[in-house]
Amino acid sequence: MKKPRCGVPDQTRGSSKFNIRRKRYALTGQKWQHKHITYSIKNVTPKVGDPETRRAIRRAFDVWQ
């Protein structure tokens, strides 16, 4: 958590000796009720092709999961 995430420095609170990250989002108290996510591919580049595109997206979802 102490490593920088991007080129923009994190803002710290006060003059704490620890570099505490600020929360940059707000929880609204609502929960998304859906358990299954679907997607569709509208455009596929001919250089990559449909099967390789689908494999790449599947691998990305597996990593995210």
Side-chain angles (χ1 to χ4, degrees), residues 14-25:
S15 60
S16 174
K17 66 178 183 175
F18 298 107
N19 189 9
I20 300 172
R21 288 191 174 153
R22 269 199 158 138
K23 190 167 34 169
R24 296 182 183 164
Y25 58 89

Side-chain angles (χ1 to χ4, degrees), residues 1-38:
M1 288 301 294
K2 292 184 181 187
K3 291 184 179 181
R5 293 169 288 189
C6 62
V8 180
D10 290 330
Q11 298 177 2
T12 59
R13 294 183 203 160
S15 60
S16 174
K17 66 178 183 175
F18 298 107
N19 189 9
I20 300 172
R21 288 191 174 153
R22 269 199 158 138
K23 190 167 34 169
R24 296 182 183 164
Y25 58 89
L27 297 176
T28 61
Q30 298 174 355
K31 184 177 178 183
W32 200 36
Q33 299 300 319
H34 301 284
K35 302 261 185 212
H36 300 283
I37 299 173
T38 60

